[in-house]
Amino acid sequence: MPRVSNARDLEIIRSQSDGKRSRSRLELIIPNGTCCQASGSAALIDSVRAELARQGLQQDVSVRVTGCLGFCEQEPMILVEPGNILYCRVTAKDAAEIVSRTVQRGEIIDTLLFLDPASGKRIEREADIPFYKAQTRQLIHMNRFVDPFSIEDYIAAGGYRAIAKALEEFTPSAIIAEVKAAGLRGRGGAGFPTGRKWEEAHEAPGDEKYVICNADEGDPGAYMDRCVLEANPHEVLEGMMIGAYAVGASKGYIYVRREYPLAVKHCRIAIRQAREYGLLGENILGSNFSFDVEVARGGGAFVCGESTALMTSIEGKVGEPRAKDVHTVKEGLWGRPTVLNNVETWANVPSIILNGSRWFASRGTEKSKGTKILALTGRVKNTGLVEVAMGTTIRQIVYDIGGGPKNGNRIKAVQTGGPSGGCLPERLFDLPVDFDALWEAGSMMGSGGMVVMDDKTCMVDVARYFLKFLLDESCGKCVPCREGIDRMLEIVTDIAEGRGRPEQLDTLQDLAETVAEASLCGLGKSAPNPVLSTLRYFMDEYKAHVLEKKCPAAVCKALVTYAIDAGKCTGCGVCLKVCPHDSITGEKKKPHVIDTALCQRCGICIGECKFDAITVR
Amino acid sequence: MLQYVNVTIDGAPVRAEKGTSVLDTAIHYGICIPHLCHIPGIHDMGACRLCIVEHVRNGRSKVTASCTLLVEEGMVIRTNTDRILKMRKNIAELLVARAPNSKAIQDIAVRCGVTEVRYPFRNENCVLCGRCVRICKERAQANALGFIGRGKERHVDHPPGKLMDYCKNCNGCILFCPMSVTPCGGPMKKGEERLCGKCDSQLTADARKMPGVCVWCELGKGFQCSRYLAV
Amino acid sequence: MAKINLDSILEGRRSQPHMLVEVLLDLQDQEGYLPEEALKTVSKELGVPLIDVYRVAHFYKAFSLKPRGKNVITICTGTACHVRGSDLLVNQVRGQLGIEPGETTPDGQITVECVNCVGACALGPIVIHNDVYCKNMTPGTLRRKLDKAAGKKKEAKDA
């Protein structure tokens, strides 16, 4: 086991693995993150390996199993390098053909290439795919070079050079100055300047200080932290090391959600390897800086993404937030000065040290620098992880990268920032991705979830969904959050179920404002955002529910009726069989009928009908 | 040696011992900030949010609970701005809608200016103020009670098995519970779901003899509060 | 009932109250739920009041205080899955099994749970069947999955 005791050792490892790499003629990069595994990437990897062995090509071709490459929808995929050829939606059965044709003969298999839904053409190279082309990939781009199980891969890709440089050339204050000059802001949501946070912790009195990586990515609809941590855990570790050196901490924690088992596993392996290499522990790289990291698992509580709740959770207690009048940088974990940053923030640190603050600040807007990973999901053609320079407009993201609406529907809003964020209407799509611009528009960056909604999405239902989520996830400690969310949900449910009264809209607004100001923690303070932003931009939909008792998107169950289009129904009987409420009747091969009195509007029949015969109005 | 800091509360310059909370300081000087979960001498948790105040710093004001806010030199606090009064009223409304038959909660609501409740009443017998839990933990050191569950499911309970295995029979939880006085039947009557606002201070029999005593101070410590006399 | 072996879980963690969450997570993984007796032992060994052990056990979603079924079906109800119709999946469960999320079928075969996002949002709606992630689920595919999970029981009985 090579022990890295100075920067030279790193160079040696790097050149060794470069040597190893140059021996193989071709590289097959197969992503195998959680999302890829859901698509069956594990079986693909096995069969590709078996096929290479069968055709005797193991020496010639190296297979690198990496984290997710971002274009989750097209998974499982294989990236062939050199050549940058991307095969999408590959199954285990395709392995033989890929090995015999592409690997052996250098042919390109047309049918496995990405089919651009806009032009209807196959695209050969990954870099030419519009989804990738319009992005600025800094963090995610690293994923392809690194097998998360291999610290050598990370070192070969230039890893741990930043900490070596930091220890050699920088004083802690110089690091803080560099991060400040870069304008890095917290990627977890609020966008607090990272350098200032570090500075405060650096100046706070005390010998024992902590750094924490917040990977309790609870925002539904956001998963960039999972992706980064799964794919490149060493980069996060290196960022934490630099941060710890800057603030004077000797102990770090990575707080990962239990719902991300793969991320937990990869973190643990990464920490073990870093310890074995001497990159964690006493006197790192021959300096007098000592630092170690531990993984703490979250037990499944959204509120634990809040800094004080997260710290009490690491202390082994119930994750209830406490008043933050004294900042956690002064009194955090176990009452000690603590720096808490999100995964993406930490992952950005090494490149700032390596390339300088000017390089980092060259991208982005005046007050938001660098790039941001967004999780583009919902009703767009291309979904996945998207990394763009700050300042890119929402329109560019939704239409250029996301490819626009699915099935010819009209996109009407994006929801950014998860349950703490808000919904922005189509007319504001020229807003840039920028902490302050989004905040002013009544939403927030949050951790970067971006859920696209079209005219089949009901905004009242969206508000209701988030309130339900928040009621479930609120710790219940303070009155405004617990009772306030409950009452807001009660009102929105009334509205969604056709019992809404016009004066309730005023009550909702009034209550939402109180909850936003008087709640104890960030969860409560931001909880009304989904309600306030939908009230602000989609009042017409609320009014349609209240005054006309209609759901324009035909989503709210109580306000719609199901019917079978007699012209389309073939009488196949599938719907009749699957209806759990026995509300469908009809003879074989004759149009069926829904008994609206029995129908519970569960929507199961719609999914089962092959002829689109069931209508909802 | 005791250290003192100078604080301005509602325009009045006051001197307070370092380490005390704004709420305690205000109470000490006879400035009443309505509160529910605060018990003198017991750790504050900042749950009820009735004691919210505006903390003015660098020209910007931040709303925060005064029970968990410690005094600092030069601090400027406003306890009764329109903004605060409105929010406090909304919070009291939420509380009374949850437990309309508690006389103590009714009292707080009426004193915070709630006349009409915009939400359907629920007949809960606990407002989750956590007074019992903290008394049990900190004064009796029995650890017999705790908050179980989260969000809507949050409730006060003891570990499974017999409560008597832990309880030290100190009676603190009952003494400090805002729900433990005889409930008021009024608001829950069908068709009459409203607060009449006509009750006297109900928590102590002596309340009538001491006009203007804020029930919650009486329950905790007791001092002559003048703020809400007019109600 | 077999005695639960806590030694390996408690190893190196005794008298360290801050390990409570980690210990309970390991216990949950080992047993599938948190048995009452074990919680009492944990309370004693770590030096945490029993009430705090219970509070933690009730607070975090990962813990279950009742035994779970052989098949644990977890439906993701994150935003992206919701927009793509995860509600229909929950309805399918209600209609087909007659249980609510969080409950177990009376025969102990299937437990259905909901989770707020598993971070595979581009592939929604997601259903996790005993640690296996299934993407783009529809009420129909879920129905067949549930049938299969319940059907295994029948074969076992026949055999």
Side-chain angles (χ1 to χ4, degrees):
Chain A
M1 186 62 57
R3 251 190 103 76
V4 184
S5 49
N6 53 44
R8 260 189 63 85
D9 291 353
L10 282 175
E11 287 302 328
I12 293 169
I13 298 174
R14 193 169 309 132
S15 55
Q16 277 172 353
S17 52
D18 274 352
K20 246 187 247 166
R21 256 178 216 199
S22 59
R23 255 173 267 150
S24 56
R25 175 171 62 87
L26 215 63
E27 214 166 25
L28 298 178
I29 296 167
I30 312 180
N32 191 29
T34 302
C35 39
C36 320
Q37 289 183 6
S39 306
S41 58
L44 173 66
I45 293 165
D46 287 347
S47 59
V48 167
R49 284 215 167 110
E51 198 56 40
L52 286 174
R54 204 176 63 84
Q55 305 193 21
L57 291 162
Q58 304 108 301
Q59 301 301 320
D60 251 16
V61 180
S62 66
V63 173
R64 186 181 310 137
V65 178
T66 68
C68 175
L69 299 186
F71 205 176
C72 308
E73 202 191 51
Q74 296 294 326
E75 280 157 357
M77 45 172 102
I78 295 183
L79 183 64
V80 188
E81 291 283 7
N84 198 231
I85 295 153
L86 185 72
Y87 290 141
C88 297
R89 297 198 173 154
V90 189
T91 60
K93 282 182 208 137
D94 299 323
E97 195 185 354
I98 291 172
V99 173
S100 53
R101 284 184 60 193
T102 307
V103 174
Q104 293 269 37
R105 281 177 269 158
E107 294 173 9
I108 291 167
I109 304 164
D110 205 47
T111 49
L112 290 175
L113 291 174
F114 175 69
L115 180 67
D116 185 23
S119 62
K121 280 187 192 140
R122 300 269 175 192
I123 297 173
E124 213 174 277
R125 293 179 61 236
E126 182 216 19
D128 294 334
I129 294 172
F131 177 81
Y132 284 113
K133 220 166 147 185
Q135 297 187 42
T136 314
R137 302 197 139 206
Q138 256 168 233
L139 290 177
I140 306 183
H141 189 70
M142 282 291 289
N143 290 5
R144 70 191 53 193
F145 303 113
V146 178
D147 177 345
F149 288 92
S150 155
I151 189 169
E152 283 115 359
D153 268 10
Y154 182 64
I155 294 175
Y160 289 113
R161 245 168 53 198
I163 180 69
K165 185 178 174 192
L167 290 172
E168 228 160 78
E169 300 171 20
F170 286 75
T171 60
S173 307
I175 292 181
I176 291 171
E178 194 70 17
V179 172
K180 261 177 137 178
L184 178 64
R185 293 173 68 174
R187 298 314 200 225
F192 192 85
T194 308
R196 242 173 70 199
K197 201 185 253 184
W198 290 14
E199 191 174 36
E200 280 176 41
H202 175 72
E203 284 166 4
D207 299 334
E208 230 182 313
K209 294 177 186 178
Y210 297 101
V211 291
I212 302 177
C213 170
N214 182 354
D216 187 60
E217 186 178 45
D219 280 18
Y223 60 105
M224 60 290 296
D225 290 352
R226 174 187 65 79
C227 173
V228 171
L229 210 54
E230 268 177 20
N232 205 353
H234 286 287
E235 192 167 32
V236 178
L237 275 183
E238 191 181 359
M240 289 177 74
M241 289 161 73
I242 296 168
Y245 172 62
V247 303
S250 55
K251 174 96 199 187
Y253 286 91
I254 303 181
Y255 187 86
V256 201
R257 304 174 74 198
R258 183 190 153 274
E259 288 91 332
Y260 292 169
L262 211 59
V264 174
K265 189 173 145 199
H266 289 188
C267 275
R268 285 185 170 156
I269 291 172
I271 291 172
R272 205 191 62 217
Q273 289 178 340
R275 279 186 195 145
E276 284 168 359
Y277 273 68
L279 288 161
L280 283 178
E282 303 287 316
N283 301 87
I284 293 165
L285 292 168
S287 71
N288 52 10
F289 168 62
S290 302
F291 180 64
D292 200 12
V293 177
E294 232 178 85
V295 172
R297 280 173 296 168
F302 175 67
V303 70
C304 285
E306 202 272 346
S307 58
T308 56
L310 187 149
M311 288 171 199
T312 48
S313 181
I314 293 182
E315 290 167 17
K317 298 180 202 147
V318 166
E320 271 173 17
R322 57 169 176 78
K324 241 201 306 197
D325 293 309
V326 180
H327 291 293
T328 49
V329 285
K330 296 206 180 89
E331 280 179 33
L333 191 64
W334 285 300
R336 316 272 184 185
T338 306
V339 167
L340 176 94
N341 281 128
N342 149 284
V343 172
E344 206 186 325
T345 319
W346 287 123
N348 267 307
V349 172
S351 58
I352 293 177
I353 298 299
L354 266 187
N355 306 326
S357 54
R358 198 169 295 165
W359 167 83
F360 185 81
S362 66
R363 293 204 173 100
T365 59
E366 198 198 332
K367 287 195 172 152
S368 306
K369 301 291 185 196
T371 59
K372 176 82 189 89
I373 311 180
L374 303 165
L376 185 65
T377 56
R379 296 185 175 261
V380 274
K381 285 200 186 98
N382 308 327
T383 57
L385 284 182
V386 172
E387 187 173 351
V388 291
M390 296 270 191
T392 311
T393 64
I394 297 175
R395 195 177 302 283
Q396 283 172 309
I397 295 167
V398 172
Y399 289 92
D400 298 350
I401 299 174
K406 254 184 172 174
N407 313 332
N409 293 336
R410 190 182 62 83
I411 290 177
K412 74 174 175 196
V414 288
Q415 207 282 343
T416 63
S420 327
C423 297
L424 298 171
E426 207 263 346
R427 69 188 151 85
L428 293 181
F429 276 13
D430 289 321
L431 275 176
V433 171
D434 171 287
F435 288 105
D436 308 292
L438 291 178
W439 180 257
E440 271 157 36
S443 182
M444 64 192 270
M445 182 91 80
S447 54
M450 195 170 255
V451 184
V452 180
M453 296 165 175
D454 62 13
D455 45 17
K456 292 266 159 51
T457 320
C458 169
M459 300 317 275
V460 177
D461 181 65
V462 169
R464 190 178 165 198
Y465 165 78
F466 281 118
L467 287 171
K468 249 192 214 160
F469 172 87
L470 288 161
L471 182 62
D472 197 32
E473 293 291 345
S474 158
C475 73
K477 183 173 178 178
C478 76
V479 173
C481 177
R482 182 188 68 232
E483 303 289 325
I485 293 175
D486 196 2
R487 295 297 179 171
M488 282 195 278
L489 177 61
E490 192 174 83
I491 294 172
V492 174
T493 306
D494 274 355
I495 293 171
E497 293 182 354
R499 294 186 302 271
R501 287 170 279 123
E503 70 268 20
Q504 278 182 315
L505 293 174
D506 299 331
T507 312
L508 193 60
Q509 179 87 27
D510 184 36
L511 179 58
E513 284 164 11
T514 299
V515 175
E517 288 219 62
S519 294
L520 190 147
C521 76
L523 185 148
K525 283 192 206 295
S526 58
N529 282 351
V531 171
L532 286 170
S533 67
T534 46
L535 277 173
R536 181 165 158 193
Y537 297 119
F538 299 95
M539 193 45 135
D540 50 328
E541 288 196 31
Y542 278 92
K543 284 198 170 141
H545 282 74
V546 173
L547 303 174
E548 297 157 37
K549 309 284 176 213
K550 276 220 163 78
C551 177
V555 171
C556 295
K557 271 190 191 179
L559 304 177
V560 297
T561 42
Y562 277 57
I564 293 176
D565 185 341
K568 284 182 182 168
C569 180
T570 60
C572 68
V574 165
C575 56
L576 187 152
K577 215 170 71 193
V578 296
C579 177
H581 312 286
D582 293 331
S583 64
I584 301 177
T585 48
E587 285 174 42
K588 268 243 158 251
K589 302 204 173 156
K590 280 183 187 163
H592 289 13
V593 195
I594 296 181
D595 184 344
T596 45
L598 287 176
C599 174
Q600 299 291 309
R601 306 171 192 93
C602 64
I604 288 170
C605 49
I606 301 179
E608 299 273 344
C609 178
K610 290 186 189 72
F611 309 98
D612 259 348
I614 291 155
T615 59
V616 187
R617 265 192 204 98
Chain B
M1 211 184 81
L2 286 179
Q3 279 186 311
Y4 288 92
V5 292
N6 297 299
V7 184
T8 311
I9 303 181
D10 289 344
V14 298
R15 214 163 74 104
E17 200 182 303
K18 212 174 174 184
T20 52
S21 71
V22 170
L23 178 63
D24 278 332
T25 308
I27 291 175
H28 183 76
Y29 285 96
I31 304 164
C32 178
I33 303 171
H35 51 271
L36 168 63
C37 62
H38 168 76
I39 311 172
I42 297 284
H43 270 99
D44 281 303
M45 61 190 283
C48 74
R49 312 308 282 177
L50 282 169
C51 69
I52 45 169
V53 293
E54 274 186 61
H55 178 192
V56 189
R57 206 163 28 182
N58 307 333
R60 281 196 308 186
S61 83
K62 202 181 140 203
V63 176
T64 179
S66 59
C67 62
T68 48
L69 182 66
L70 300 185
V71 286
E72 272 169 43
E73 182 60 39
M75 200 176 224
V76 177
I77 299 292
R78 296 200 193 118
T79 74
N80 60 350
T81 57
D82 288 347
R83 182 169 159 218
I84 289 289
L85 291 180
K86 188 180 160 214
M87 272 189 252
R88 203 177 275 153
K89 182 180 156 194
N90 280 346
I91 294 168
E93 186 184 357
L94 288 170
L95 276 172
V96 80
R98 177 182 171 101
N101 48 2
S102 158
K103 288 182 180 175
I105 304 296
Q106 268 186 31
D107 224 52
I108 286 172
V110 171
R111 278 156 196 268
C112 290
V114 179
T115 44
E116 166 211 23
V117 179
R118 292 167 291 181
Y119 320 109
F121 280 143
R122 287 181 194 154
N123 206 359
E124 298 280 350
N125 52 17
C126 175
V127 286
L128 301 171
C129 61
R131 292 167 67 93
C132 53
V133 171
R134 283 169 299 145
I135 282 289
C136 186
K137 192 182 182 82
E138 293 178 29
R139 199 161 285 177
Q141 304 196 329
N143 280 318
L145 294 175
F147 285 116
I148 301 282
R150 72 172 186 225
K152 219 183 163 181
E153 248 94 81
R154 187 179 171 97
H155 62 279
V156 174
D157 208 345
H158 56 84
K162 282 194 217 107
L163 173 62
M164 285 305 141
D165 292 351
Y166 312 94
C167 180
K168 294 185 176 170
N169 287 318
C170 73
N171 239 7
C173 48
I174 300 170
L175 274 174
F176 283 88
C177 178
M179 319 295 287
S180 59
V181 283
T182 325
C184 163
M188 291 308 290
K189 269 188 205 142
K190 261 235 140 34
E192 285 182 40
E193 287 125 341
R194 63 193 171 81
L195 298 177
C196 68
K198 284 178 189 146
C199 294
D200 291 322
S201 287
Q202 301 91 345
L203 268 183
T204 56
D206 294 341
R208 225 166 294 225
K209 288 182 212 150
M210 299 197 288
V213 169
C214 175
V215 273
W216 283 92
C217 303
E218 180 58 32
L219 189 80
K221 203 171 179 185
F223 75 95
Q224 295 280 318
C225 170
S226 54
R227 165 82 33 80
Y228 294 95
L229 267 178
V231 181
Chain C
M1 208 173 80
K3 198 166 158 22
I4 297 147
N5 187 4
L6 283 168
D7 287 342
S8 62
I9 294 175
L10 286 169
E11 185 65 44
R13 289 167 168 170
R14 288 193 171 87
S15 305
Q16 294 181 37
H18 72 275
M19 295 311 288
L20 179 60
V21 177
E22 289 286 318
V23 166
L24 293 186
L25 281 169
D26 285 342
L27 181 63
Q28 170 81 31
D29 288 345
Q30 185 185 306
E31 298 295 319
Y33 76 112
L34 302 178
E36 205 178 304
E37 277 311 308
L39 290 183
K40 286 186 179 154
T41 319
V42 168
S43 158
K44 235 180 269 159
E45 295 278 352
L46 293 184
V48 181
L50 187 58
I51 184 76
D52 289 340
V53 177
Y54 269 89
R55 290 190 61 201
V56 168
H58 275 94
F59 187 83
Y60 295 103
K61 272 225 162 139
F63 303 126
S64 139
L65 289 141
K66 278 183 239 146
R68 295 196 294 177
K70 276 194 194 123
N71 295 282
V72 180
I73 303 271
T74 311
I75 302 172
C76 178
T77 54
T79 321
C81 292
H82 175 80
V83 176
R84 291 190 183 184
S86 65
D87 262 12
L88 302 183
L89 302 180
V90 178
N91 282 336
Q92 176 70 36
V93 167
R94 286 201 186 104
Q96 193 181 343
L97 301 176
I99 58 170
E100 289 292 313
E103 292 177 355
T104 306
T105 48
D107 59 4
Q109 282 296 317
I110 305 174
T111 298
V112 178
E113 288 173 351
C114 285
V115 61
N116 290 325
C117 197
V118 293
C121 308
L123 308 168
I126 293 272
V127 168
I128 307 168
H129 178 203
N130 293 348
D131 299 335
V132 179
Y133 289 70
C134 313
K135 62 171 183 172
N136 297 334
M137 292 294 286
T138 63
T141 45
L142 180 64
R143 175 170 56 89
R144 286 187 281 277
K145 190 171 273 306
L146 292 175
D147 275 343
K148 221 172 145 193
K152 271 182 194 153
K153 174 198 70 179
K154 267 183 205 156
E155 289 163 15
K157 259 186 191 168
D158 292 346

